[in-house]
Amino acid sequence: MMEFACSLPKLSGAGGIQIRFVQTSRAFKRHANQSRSFRTSATFLREAPGGAPEKVRGQRKVFDSVDEAVADIKSGSTVLSAGFGLCGTAETIIGAMVRRGADNLHSLTAVSNNAGTAVGGGLSPLIAGGQVTKAICSFIGNNKALESRYLNGEIAIELTPQGTLAEKIRCGGAGIPAFFTPTGVNTFVQTGQIPQRLKGSEIIEPGKPRETRIFDGRIYNMETAIKGDVAILRAHKVDEAGNCQFRYTTQSFAPLMAKAAKVSIVEAEHIVPVGELKSDEIDLPGIFIDRIVKATADKMIEFKTLRKEENLEEQGQKDPALARRNRIAKRAAKELKPGFYVNLGVGMPTLAPSYLPPDANVWIQSENGILGMGPYPTEEELDPDIINAGKETVTLVPGASTFDSSESFGMIRGGHVDVSMLGALQVGANGDLANYMIPGKVFKGMGGAMDLVGNPDATKIVVLTDHVDKSGKPKIVQNCTLPLTGARVVSTIITDLCVFDVDRKKGELTLIELAPGVELDEVKQKTGAKFNVAENLGRME
């Protein structure tokens, strides 16, 4: 968790929030030669001109030493670090960068979906060692080292929705300077109200408001491309010409980042002669790879999650909290029709497939690059290269496919996914959703949630949530008071007490079902919004 305070205006009908920041004139300085200086825990400033290592066509790409391969990475560089959580991260290369030390390699801007993790690995050692001064990422999680440095003003964080981050990098590699996206409209991403750098309660560097434009009557944010000086990635097989083959969900950001960097370094589990990889086995052509090193660091699993052969209903009889979750998940399964393509958020949504019949033929999509996600693995099925969006180990069903993150979010924003299920901190009567931030208490980053709700006219957004929070306060409110994930996006709300239909245009709720044993008066008492009652009020099964 990460704490800060500020004062923010209403968004999309939300009530005002009182969160205080004291803005100061101190900011990062950009010198005429584009070098940058920054505040450190020491009493001096270091110059970091940045720039990419020299790129030499025709030289042998395979390096005998990983330390040699990273020796000319410059302080002040922008480093694109592939991987999702700890899946597909370049641990061998990162280790060599750490060995260079903060005096020799510092002031790095790191671009990665996760800026390290709570359990170490990934960018964690570079951040802990003070070598990274800015992180561009979508998710912070419970990374205490990163939290501490952010709150002390030692590192800047530019939070970017996961799908937007993938597209910014893709465009950087494709020579496209900017693009318009529906993701983040009417949120703090659009208004720039997520500070990049803090010092206690002061804003040292504010967020960047987005330029907007209307297409076909809808508002879009303009996002600019990301390019890097160096990309670091891990692949399964790489031939001596640089052609890469990835395994399963290790693709995520790897091909995108290799294309967007001036110099790309790959660590390979297997380095093979040219010709051993068949043309149709190559996921990334060698034109995008400049240096190859042997991967020597072991793969790490962030959340080893195994399948439990337990009856959910029986377990629910022993655990009231699980019983509530089961009730919500069982009702949610009715939203998943045969042949549907469905994205399930972490937590309760992942329980819904357990209540589907064996022949349901529902395809589960995970935004880190899976279509056809299966259940958690047994110990024998465990594979560190197959994880879901929550970084948990999973399996693949027959007919499943894997792909990079830009293709994954293209499916979502493009409206090809039929239903998306998410959790919530608050849901407004007009369909507003808040699920990533409680100012002063919770600030883990939005991950892919803003993208998942980015096309609510094509993808039905279903919220699964307890009716009240831990303190008994309603989570279904007339107007959201928490920062929004998306405005007017939710179509159905399923709680442990009832089911609401949401009219996003009129901004109205209609109660359509009550849970067993729940009466209308209880729902009225525990709901912080006005609602209509359906003539044929049903019961959740």
Side-chain angles (χ1 to χ4, degrees), residues 449-467:
M450 287 186 177
D451 300 277
L452 290 171
V453 301
N455 194 347
D457 292 332
T459 300
K460 184 177 182 179
I461 308 301
V462 180
V463 162
L464 279 57
T465 182
D466 287 326
H467 206 90

Side-chain angles (χ1 to χ4, degrees), residues 86 119 299-305 382-384 391 393:
L86 297 177
V119 298
K299 294 180 181 179
M300 302 176 69
I301 297 177
E302 192 167 352
F303 297 113
K304 179 180 177 180
T305 312
L382 184 69
D383 190 322
K391 287 85 176 180
T393 49

Side-chain angles (χ1 to χ4, degrees), residues 233-272:
L233 56 146
R234 181 171 179 137
H236 178 56
K237 285 185 180 181
V238 180
D239 69 21
E240 293 175 346
N243 297 307
C244 298
Q245 182 185 71
F246 301 97
R247 290 189 78 242
Y248 305 121
T249 57
T250 62
Q251 289 187 70
S252 59
F253 285 86
L256 308 174
M257 289 181 166
K259 296 172 184 178
K262 296 175 183 176
V263 171
S264 296
I265 309 173
V266 62
E267 60 180 73
E269 295 159 26
H270 304 280
I271 301 175
V272 299

Side-chain angles (χ1 to χ4, degrees), residues 11-12 159-165 168 179-194 208-213 218-223 409 412-413 432-433 435-436 446-456 483-489:
L11 277 178
S12 187
L159 276 178
T160 304
Q162 189 183 141
T164 300
L165 181 64
K168 284 164 76 79
F179 60 95
F180 287 92
T181 176
T183 300
V185 171
N186 287 325
T187 74
F188 284 3
V189 170
Q190 177 182 330
T191 56
Q193 289 174 268
I194 302 176
K208 300 175 183 177
R210 302 313 196 252
E211 179 183 333
T212 61
R213 189 168 173 181
R218 189 177 179 192
I219 300 173
Y220 291 78
N221 288 338
M222 190 183 81
E223 296 283 354
F409 282 99
I412 295 163
R413 285 191 309 271
D432 284 356
L433 172 65
N435 78 344
Y436 80 101
M446 68 288 290
M450 287 186 177
D451 300 277
L452 290 171
V453 301
N455 194 347
L484 297 187
T485 302
R488 295 181 180 267
V489 295

Side-chain angles (χ1 to χ4, degrees), residues 9 35 41 129 158 184 271 278 282 312 314 337 353 364 401 416 446 467 539:
S35 66
S41 55
E158 186 177 328
I271 301 175
K278 296 179 182 178
I282 295 169
L312 288 176
E314 291 179 0
K337 308 301 182 184
I364 308 300
S401 56
H416 306 288
M446 68 288 290
H467 206 90
R539 285 283 178 183

Side-chain angles (χ1 to χ4, degrees), residues 305-324:
T305 312
L306 300 178
R307 185 160 69 245
K308 298 178 181 178
E309 301 299 336
E310 297 176 342
N311 185 294
L312 288 176
E313 296 291 342
E314 291 179 0
Q315 291 296 313
Q317 293 174 6
K318 305 173 186 177
D319 183 348
L322 181 58
R324 291 198 309 272

Side-chain angles (χ1 to χ4, degrees), residues 55-70:
K55 188 185 191 86
V56 181
R57 292 293 195 193
Q59 72 175 9
R60 183 172 180 265
K61 292 186 177 182
V62 179
F63 280 60
D64 296 326
S65 165
V66 64
D67 294 293
E68 180 188 359
V70 304

